[in-house]
Structure formats: C-alpha cells, structure tokens
Amino acid sequence: MEGKPEAAVAVIKMTTILKNILFFIGVFAFANAYSQTTPDSTKVYKKRVLETTEVDFLTSYYTQDGDNAAVSGGVGTEELTDVTGAFVVSIPLNDDDVLTIDAGVSAYTSASSSNIDPFDDGPADPFQASSGASSGDLWANMTGSYSHSSDDRNDIWSAKLSVSSEYDYFSIGVGGSYTKLFNEKNTEFSINGNVYLDTWNTIYPMELRPFGEGGDGLNNRLFAQNTITGNTNYNPLFIEFDEEGRNSYSLGLGFSQILHKNLQGSLAIDFVQQEGLLSTPFQRVYFADVADSFIDNFQLADAVERLPDSRFKIAVGGRLNWYLNEFFTMRTFYRYYSDDWGITSHTASVEVPVKITDKFTLYPSYRFYNQTAADYFRPYESVLSTDEYYTSDYDLSEYSANQFGFGASYTDIFTKTHIWKFGLKSVDLKFYKYDRDTTFSSKIITAGFKFLMD
C-alpha cells in the first residue's frame, strides 16, 4: 500500500531522534545535577518541583468488533486489535524546570481497514478480513514538553512539541499552557492552547482508483480479472480530494476550587476548530438511487465519504471529587458536547477508589455516553446521489454506550523494589468493557509502571 515505506522511514527517524535527545538530556541532567552539589551560601532553600527523574512505562491491549464498518459503507466487520507501548521520561533540570519526553508506538491489525482492498486474496466479503497491506500498520509518536514553575509555585508555564506518523498521515503539533494558583493554593485557573497540522496520504478504495484522474476505468485489470455482478455498468461518482491537509486549533480554560477539606470541584470548557480534509478518503458510501454492483460478495463503492471542510466543537464539563473517609473516595464527571455538524452528546461517569491498605487501591468505575447523529450520517444504502455531504460512519450516528471498568494500583513511596538503578514507585492495572446499543463493543487492558531514578 502507498505510504508504507515512508511510515517505516518516519518511525526509524523518530527513534533515532529520540535516542539522540535522550542522550543529550542525560548529559545535561548529569551536568546540572553535578552543578547543584556545589555549595552556594547565597541561595535560599526551595523545594524542587520534581525531586528526581521519573520514568513511566505504559502499555495497553485493545480489541473491538462490530458489524457496521465505515470502510465498507456501514456494513461489514469492525474487528481490530491494537497493542501500544510508551515511555514517559520526566527530568528535573533544576529546582523550577522539568523536561518531559513522551515516545510511543502502536501496532494494530484491522479486518475493517484490510478491506480497503478486499480483492487481493480470494473471494471478497465485507465480513471477512483481507490479507492486504492495509490489514495492519504502525503509529509512532514523540512529544517533548518543558514546564517552568515560579519560586512560590503559584505560576506554571509549559510548552510542547509533538510529531506523529502513520502510513496515511503525518502530524506535527505545538502547544502551551499557563496555570495560576491563588487563595493559598485552594483555587486554580488554567489556560491551554494547541495547534496540530496534519497531512494525509490519501488512499482510496481499490475499485475507485481506476476512475481517478488518469485512470482507465472499467478497462482496469481489477475488472478484467473479476466478474461484476448486479449492475454491470459500474460507474461510481468519484472525484479525488483536492485538499490533503487538516489543521486543528484548540483552546481550553479550566477552574478548580477546594470547596471543603473533603470536597474539590472543577470546571472546564474547550473549543476546537478544524479545517481541511475532514473526510476519511477510504470510507465507502452506497447510494439508495443507484443499482448495486458486486465482485464476489463485496459491493463496489458508489462514492467515498464527503464531509464539510470545517468543524467547530465545544465541550463543557465539570468534576466533583469527594473524600468520604480514609477508605473511600468518589470521583464524578459530567460533560456536554456540541458541534456544527449536528452532534450533541452527554457523558457522565463515576469512579470510587477503595483503599485496601496503604499500598493497594481498587478502582471500580462506570461511564455512560449518549450522542445524536451528525446531519450528514446515513445508514447503509440510505444516501442519495444528489446529497452534497454524506457518511455511513457509525461513529457519527445516534447511539448510547455503557462502559464498566475495574482497576488496581500498588504504590510504594519508598521504592523498595528496584530494577537496575530504578526504584518502582507504583503499578496501575485497569480493564474496561465498552458496549454501544449497536453491534459495536470493545475491551481494553492497560498497565502503567512508574520508576524513580536513584
């Protein structure tokens, strides 16, 4: 598939860059730590923001299934598995400044995306995976952030730069934030902003490519080697996208207040503006007013998803954390979301950490989600060829979902367990099961390990 070599090269380059960055960070941190050992009678003692280097290793295993794949126009398998691993290294540069490097890789296999080209290995069927190049891929990301705290720790500034790559897109992002604490640190206000500049490598369904610019249409080898059934006069409505970029701009405001010694509340509002190619080029659409064409059991696309080139989102949410006693805490969350594509949603969740001992805590949780459909969503074969915008992506449909979770954590503030020069501070394990009122369901297991450098 197009873009595969470029993705591999990008991953190798990012890995090399990360190694070099970590090497120079290590040298700098060592030199900085050494300089801190030199006595200076003019300095006033100040508690460091971060006492020592912290290393987090995060991993997850995710699996999903369903019968409404957007790649095949709202029907077909949504089966996917994903394994992710990431390292987060936080390094104190001095008393006030912290540098954090976050690098991760995600590897997935997808029966759904494999059907971008379902004709490469036997009878094509939307409910069967193809073994083509699009059946799996790697996603890689690296983010560097820097934060500075004022002497009284009431002002915190941060900036970040991120790069990510996959076979069909490349993204670079920049961002920054400012946090102000006052009222004896009982009140907190924050503002943050981010910009992401994405570039697509547009990949279209295999049967549509011969109808693109310079294509040979029904004279293509795909149609010469396979028999079209149903409507044999296959003539899709296909125009390649002119725009291959997508820009996202976000602004967030947050406010937190300690309401009581056992109660803390927070409010947040986020604005997001997206511009550019917001359609997914390889997601098929089938028209209700066009006769169906097939190769084997796979229906040939009438078109690809077409969505507006701009989208504005707003989300408002709040949290309320209540410390019940030394064993129980209740964490609640609610968020309202709306965008100019017609989607509104409500999210509500509750988590009740249960402290078993000084080191072990359990985390049962529940989350409810409900959304309306986008103005442009139509189920399989409900789109008209005269419509301006259309999609059969069930992520944009009306649905409700329930998620049940359970987690456990181990914390040792004295880091008695060691691996080489690192002391194990905490271990977190969580499991979540997610179900929509459609056929879609998913499960995820996550694990996190925090180490402190001696």
Side-chain angles (χ1 to χ4, degrees):
M1 170 166 288
E2 302 94 331
K4 280 281 187 177
E6 290 82 353
V9 170
V11 171
I12 294 172
K13 287 182 178 179
M14 291 171 64
T15 303
T16 303
I17 292 171
L18 175 61
K19 289 179 178 177
N20 292 335
I21 289 175
L22 291 177
F23 172 77
F24 287 112
I25 288 173
V27 173
F28 183 82
F30 175 79
N32 184 72
Y34 179 79
S35 67
Q36 295 294 322
T37 62
T38 304
D40 185 350
S41 60
T42 63
K43 288 186 176 180
V44 177
Y45 174 77
K46 179 171 54 177
K47 182 176 175 61
R48 294 166 68 89
V49 174
L50 185 65
E51 293 294 336
T52 186
T53 297
E54 295 183 354
V55 179
D56 290 271
F57 173 66
L58 310 172
T59 185
S60 67
Y61 174 78
Y62 172 85
T63 180
Q64 70 173 48
D65 205 353
D67 298 326
N68 301 115
V71 172
S72 44
V75 293
T77 178
E78 296 178 79
E79 184 179 356
L80 179 147
T81 60
D82 180 273
V83 179
T84 300
F87 280 98
V88 181
V89 183
S90 300
I91 302 171
L93 302 179
N94 50 49
D95 289 349
D96 305 322
D97 303 320
V98 177
L99 179 65
T100 302
I101 301 295
D102 182 345
V105 175
S106 174
Y108 73 85
T109 58
S110 170
S112 173
S113 67
S114 73
N115 282 326
I116 294 173
D117 178 10
F119 313 108
D120 60 351
D121 62 346
D125 190 305
F127 289 95
Q128 298 294 323
S130 168
S131 62
S134 57
S135 62
D137 195 55
L138 281 176
W139 171 87
N141 170 266
M142 184 170 66
T143 300
S145 61
Y146 167 86
S147 67
H148 171 79
S149 298
S150 61
D151 288 341
D152 60 8
R153 305 298 184 244
N154 287 332
D155 300 272
I156 305 169
W157 297 265
S158 71
K160 70 176 182 179
L161 172 67
S162 66
V163 179
S164 59
S165 177
E166 198 176 353
Y167 76 94
D168 63 342
Y169 89 95
F170 177 82
S171 176
I172 185 168
V174 295
S177 67
Y178 170 69
T179 301
K180 175 69 176 180
L181 290 85
F182 49 95
N183 188 25
E184 297 183 346
K185 293 184 170 57
N186 289 319
T187 306
E188 178 181 311
F189 171 79
S190 63
I191 181 171
N192 66 83
N194 296 280
V195 176
Y196 291 95
L197 308 177
D198 304 338
T199 301
W200 285 84
N201 175 21
T202 48
I203 298 172
Y204 300 102
M206 179 58 70
E207 69 271 29
L208 293 181
R209 299 176 195 178
F211 295 90
E213 185 176 352
D216 50 359
L218 290 176
N219 295 319
N220 186 264
R221 182 175 61 180
L222 171 65
F223 305 110
Q225 295 178 348
N226 295 277
T227 301
I228 298 178
T229 60
N231 176 20
T232 57
N233 186 28
Y234 178 55
N235 185 28
L237 178 62
F238 177 59
I239 301 174
E240 296 180 358
F241 290 103
D242 294 329
E243 176 66 57
E244 293 192 347
R246 175 181 60 195
N247 300 337
S248 301
Y249 312 92
S250 67
L251 174 67
L253 302 172
F255 178 81
S256 176
Q257 176 67 49
I258 296 178
L259 304 171
H260 182 270
K261 65 178 182 179
N262 295 339
L263 191 66
Q264 181 184 32
S266 65
L267 296 172
I269 182 168
D270 294 284
F271 306 92
V272 177
Q273 176 68 40
Q274 292 182 297
E275 299 174 352
L277 179 55
L278 305 185
S279 306
T280 303
F282 51 75
Q283 294 189 169
R284 293 175 174 87
V285 167
Y286 299 116
F287 294 139
D289 54 349
V290 174
D292 301 339
S293 301
F294 296 85
I295 290 180
D296 299 326
N297 293 323
F298 200 96
Q299 186 174 347
L300 304 181
D302 292 326
V304 295
E305 173 182 270
R306 290 275 171 179
L307 293 169
D309 58 6
S310 68
R311 187 180 188 183
F312 179 73
K313 311 175 184 180
I314 182 171
V316 181
R319 296 181 183 274
L320 197 61
N321 298 333
W322 186 14
Y323 176 81
L324 301 174
N325 54 47
E326 60 181 319
F327 300 106
F328 297 95
T329 302
M330 180 176 290
R331 300 172 180 171
T332 61
F333 170 75
Y334 170 79
R335 184 186 67 179
Y336 171 80
Y337 166 91
S338 178
D339 65 32
D340 58 2
W341 285 7
I343 293 179
T344 59
S345 72
H346 302 271
T347 305
S349 68
V350 59
E351 183 181 63
V352 184
V354 182
K355 191 171 184 179
I356 304 301
T357 69
D358 289 342
K359 294 184 177 180
F360 290 95
T361 304
L362 303 180
Y363 295 89
S365 65
Y366 169 73
R367 177 180 179 269
F368 172 79
Y369 179 82
N370 170 269
Q371 77 170 35
T372 61
D375 296 337
Y376 319 110
F377 173 78
R378 300 291 183 274
Y380 166 70
E381 283 211 323
S382 298
V383 178
L384 298 178
S385 59
T386 53
D387 291 340
E388 181 180 9
Y389 299 117
Y390 37 75
T391 179
S392 293
D393 184 348
Y394 273 69
D395 287 344
L396 300 178
S397 71
E398 179 182 2
Y399 67 86
S400 296
N402 296 280
Q403 177 179 280
F404 296 90
F406 186 80
S409 71
Y410 164 83
T411 302
D412 181 6
I413 60 175
F414 299 108
T415 61
K416 294 180 179 179
T417 302
H418 281 70
I419 298 177
W420 192 46
K421 295 183 179 180
F422 295 90
L424 179 61
K425 182 178 181 181
S426 65
V427 178
D428 291 281
L429 300 173
K430 291 186 178 181
F431 170 79
Y432 298 99
K433 187 178 186 302
Y434 174 88
D435 293 288
R436 293 182 185 175
D437 57 2
T438 61
T439 61
F440 183 90
S441 64
S442 69
K443 299 175 183 177
I444 185 171
I445 299 174
T446 67
F449 305 85
K450 182 182 287 293
F451 299 91
L452 303 183
M453 180 178 288
D454 289 344

